[in-house]
Amino acid sequence: MDFSGNVRPLSMERIATESSSMSFINEAVEAIRKQVGDGKVLLALSGGVDSSVVAALLIKAIGKNLVCVHVNHGLLRKGEPEQVVQVFRHEMDANLIYVDAVDRFLDKLAGVSDPEQKRKIIGAEFIRVFEEEARKLDGIGFLAQGTIYPDILESDGVKAHHNVGGLPDDLKFKLVEPLKFLYKDEVRVVGKALGLPDNMVYRQPFPGPGLGVRCLGAITRDRLECVRESDAILREEFAANGLEGKVWQYFTIVPDFKSVGVRDGKRSFEYPVIIRAVNTKDAMTATVEDIPFNLLSHITDRILKEVKGVNRVCYDMTPKPVGTIEWE
Ligand code: XMP
């Protein structure tokens, strides 16, 4: 297999089955070994589908010569950093550097309410943390990226939300992009064949800035926890009720205002949680999922009981357009 150029080879068969994914994996492993030899490869491993599949493929090809860096910026969903460590360090025996950068990101974001400014800070800080880790390592010659074919088709070969594109010139490693000719569904089939867990391979899309754009306005730790905990309940209930994999994207949002309520016979002044669940093909337009009313009531009860600081739950009925999928 030849990963040069930016056009998917016509001879490349569609990867839909176990056997087609095995032949892709074998060819990709051979191509990676040929490209990097005994060299070391660095990878920013977020735990998203693309970076996880790249990691699994490179572990198969070059083992410990792959160095994965997982940056926990504090804006990941509940359980995600732990799962990255469990799957890659403990189960796949990967060379994984885990960076706890939670305070660093939240300190930088404190008081910043403009959504684009928040995105810029998260992206820039990510590059800085990754760069610092890269500088501590010796002998790295390559940078692996989870670029997939739609990234090439849609944005001239630059992974639109990939944060590691901005490394300084003296750290310009040679790129290893083994998924660059694959469509998303093919990436999932390959990930499954490489032994990654279903909840990693079939997960819903998750924005680069993570929960940061769902904790509206200036991010505070208490509201961020409200987003994380309510999102975990929503995901758990969708999974238990057969909606995982059926609904394209679902999450919760916590605005930066409080409303009045009553708790234990006293007036409460707490945050609302908004539930969003949408279906779409390409994220350009979206429809709202028709969730059974009793399931919505059950999720509401759980959020009100289990998430500290929340006294109201709403369901967002807005299609795209007029609303966007995210709130920021
Ligand atoms: P909107 O809100 O524009 O979202 O309707 C469309 C899709 O894009 C995702 N999204 C992002 N993904 N970085 C990302 O990587 C971002 O800053 C970002 N903003 C929105 C959103 O989750 C949805 O799937």
Side-chain angles (χ1 to χ4, degrees), residues 116 119 160-161 205-209 213-214 248-249 251 283-284 320 323-328:
E116 289 319 307
R119 281 183 167 84
H161 55 271
F206 187 60
V213 289
R214 297 173 182 171
W248 195 80
Q249 200 174 17
F251 53 89
M284 301 302 285
K320 176 181 182 177
T324 46
I325 294 176
E326 303 287 345
W327 272 49
E328 280 194 339

